[in-house]
């Protein structure tokens, strides 16, 4: 089962920042937080990941709380092309069948003009 | 660098038939994982191949199988198709085994419809 909780849907105005929350209260100390998104009927696209420090790349920023029980993905200037389902994934340690991604239901982000 | 490619992109089969899907990973990537996505169950892990060996397996029946070739290309086979096998089948590649520090990159998927 997925170890994360996300709101099922969110709206954001074009040009504004989109802040997508994720709760992962049972995260272990050596588990990473990964974010992927899936635009309708396409394969999931990797966005960003982090362990405990905030991370930023050309797509987004990831803010992880100090207790690591939650995180926020920030799209600084959302565009219509950012409309997608966003998945927050806690990546279990590799071992047996633990290494692969366990997807939850994600948040459907709708960016509106 | 070219991304993950999957063929065919769309496929229609009838119940009882078998199907083979193909995945070419990003150049240099040695791990290929397969996922099934359906509206009801979401994205679910099928199996992972690395160096031509199945390393991890999800909770799917034996009708689902796969293999990996020496050039890291992978095929997935589903035998005796059922209506419930209609889904988007996604392939993801990573440089090494799909552990915490390995980012997986997905292909566009093969949409299978079983009639």
């Amino acid at each position: 089962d997925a170890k994360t909780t996300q709101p099922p849907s969110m709206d954001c105005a074009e040009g504004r920042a989109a802040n997508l929350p994720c709760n992962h209260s049972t995260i272990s100390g050596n588990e990473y937080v990964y974010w992927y998104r899936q635009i309708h009927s396409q394969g999931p696209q990797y966005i960003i990941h982090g362990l405990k420090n905030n991370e930023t790349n050309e797509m987004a920023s990831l803010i992880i709380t100090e207790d690591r029980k939650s995180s926020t993905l920030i799209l600084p200037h959302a565009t219509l092309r950012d409309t997608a389902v966003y998945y927050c994934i806690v990546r279990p340690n590799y071992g047996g069948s633990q290494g692969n991604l366990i997807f939850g239901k994600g948040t459907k982000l709708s960016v509106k003009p | 660098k070219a991304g993950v490619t999957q063929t065919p992109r769309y496929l229609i089969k009838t119940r009882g038939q078998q199907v083979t899907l193909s995945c070419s990973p990003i150049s240099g990537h040695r791990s290929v994982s397969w996922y099934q996505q359906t509206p009801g169950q979401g994205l679910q892990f099928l199996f992972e191949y690395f160096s031509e060996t199945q390393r991890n397996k999800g909770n799917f029946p034996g009708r689902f199988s796969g293999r990996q070739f020496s050039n890291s290309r992978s095929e997935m086979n589903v035998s005796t198709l059922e209506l419930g096998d209609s889904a988007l089948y996604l392939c993801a590649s990573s440089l090494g085994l799909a552990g915490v520090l390995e980012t997986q990159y997905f292909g566009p998927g093969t949409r299978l419809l079983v009639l």
Side-chain angles (χ1 to χ4, degrees):
Chain A
D1 289 344
K3 297 176 65 174
T4 61
T5 304
Q6 300 177 253
S9 64
M10 289 183 63
D11 290 342
C12 177
E14 188 178 19
R16 303 297 294 268
N19 298 295
L20 292 95
C22 179
N23 287 321
H24 30 79
S25 58
T26 61
I27 192 170
S28 299
N30 53 3
E31 290 179 318
Y32 283 69
V33 179
Y34 270 74
W35 283 83
Y36 280 77
R37 73 180 182 184
Q38 188 173 25
I39 296 169
H40 182 64
S41 293
Q42 298 182 20
Q45 178 188 22
Y46 165 77
I47 301 173
I48 199 167
H49 73 278
L51 182 62
K52 54 184 177 181
N53 298 321
N54 298 337
E55 302 287 345
T56 295
N57 63 19
E58 64 278 3
M59 287 183 69
S61 294
L62 174 60
I63 308 298
I64 302 174
T65 58
E66 195 167 336
D67 63 8
R68 303 210 325 123
K69 292 184 184 300
S70 65
S71 60
T72 301
L73 178 75
I74 301 172
L75 307 178
H77 305 287
T79 70
L80 299 179
R81 287 180 293 180
D82 292 322
T83 292
V85 177
Y86 287 77
Y87 296 98
C88 169
I89 300 164
V90 168
R91 193 78 179 274
N93 288 326
Y94 175 73
S97 61
Q98 297 299 307
N100 286 284
L101 300 169
I102 301 173
F103 287 83
K105 297 191 182 302
T107 295
K108 181 170 172 52
L109 175 69
S110 299
V111 180
K112 300 182 183 301
Chain B
K1 191 184 271 191
V4 178
T5 58
Q6 293 187 245
T7 56
R9 292 295 309 280
Y10 303 93
L11 206 48
I12 300 175
K13 292 286 188 179
T14 56
R15 278 181 300 175
Q17 287 187 310
Q18 75 165 14
V19 67
T20 299
L21 312 180
S22 180
C23 171
S24 292
I26 293 171
S27 177
H29 283 196
R30 297 173 62 194
S31 167
V32 172
S33 296
W34 289 89
Y35 293 80
Q36 181 197 65
Q37 186 173 29
T38 60
Q41 299 298 319
L43 266 156
Q44 294 185 289
F45 169 68
L46 279 155
F47 32 64
E48 178 191 10
Y49 284 85
F50 181 83
S51 293
E52 302 177 63
T53 302
Q54 188 181 90
R55 300 303 181 109
N56 298 304
K57 190 176 189 306
N59 191 25
F60 278 81
R63 299 186 297 108
F64 293 81
S65 63
R67 60 177 175 168
Q68 186 180 35
F69 302 94
S70 59
N71 61 358
S72 295
R73 190 177 70 85
S74 176
E75 288 182 346
M76 191 194 95
N77 184 276
V78 187
S79 62
T80 320
L81 284 165
E82 300 176 0
L83 295 179
D85 297 333
S86 295
L88 181 67
Y89 289 89
L90 292 156
C91 160
S93 78
S94 60
L95 204 57
L97 277 167
V100 164
L101 298 180
E102 288 290 339
T103 299
Q104 294 187 332
Y105 296 91
F106 284 81
T110 293
R111 188 164 294 280
L112 172 65
L113 177 61
V114 181
L115 302 176

